[in-house]
Amino acid sequence: MTVPYLAVPFTFLNTKDENFVASNLALGSEFHYVDWKEVNMGAEVGIDLNKSYSYISLYLTFPFESHKGFGK
């Protein structure tokens, strides 16, 4: 199963010399593989809109507790 998303994250930067808002357009999708119930994978592309950086991000998340290890 995939879960696509669209977002417009922004940051207000207040510095000694200048104040401005940086923003991106983020397009991504999370992928939930049926056999890996505890694992989520995803990818995101961010496009610079104003005083920001464009980027590509890939990620893999899973639960891990020090006393239990992987899983719930």
Side-chain angles (χ1 to χ4, degrees), residues 32-53:
H32 304 274
Y33 186 61
V34 177
D35 293 338
W36 297 352
K37 295 184 185 202
E38 302 295 327
V39 178
N40 295 324
M41 295 177 282
E44 182 175 299
V45 174
I47 301 165
D48 168 35
L49 293 179
N50 181 41
K51 296 187 180 182
S52 186
Y53 295 99

Side-chain angles (χ1 to χ4, degrees), residues 23-67:
S23 60
N24 297 67
L25 175 65
L27 303 163
S29 183
E30 289 186 354
F31 179 70
H32 304 274
Y33 186 61
V34 177
D35 293 338
W36 297 352
K37 295 184 185 202
E38 302 295 327
V39 178
N40 295 324
M41 295 177 282
E44 182 175 299
V45 174
I47 301 165
D48 168 35
L49 293 179
N50 181 41
K51 296 187 180 182
S52 186
Y53 295 99
S54 295
Y55 63 90
I56 296 174
S57 175
L58 302 172
Y59 61 89
L60 177 74
T61 61
F62 58 91
F64 187 86
E65 295 184 32
S66 59
H67 66 283

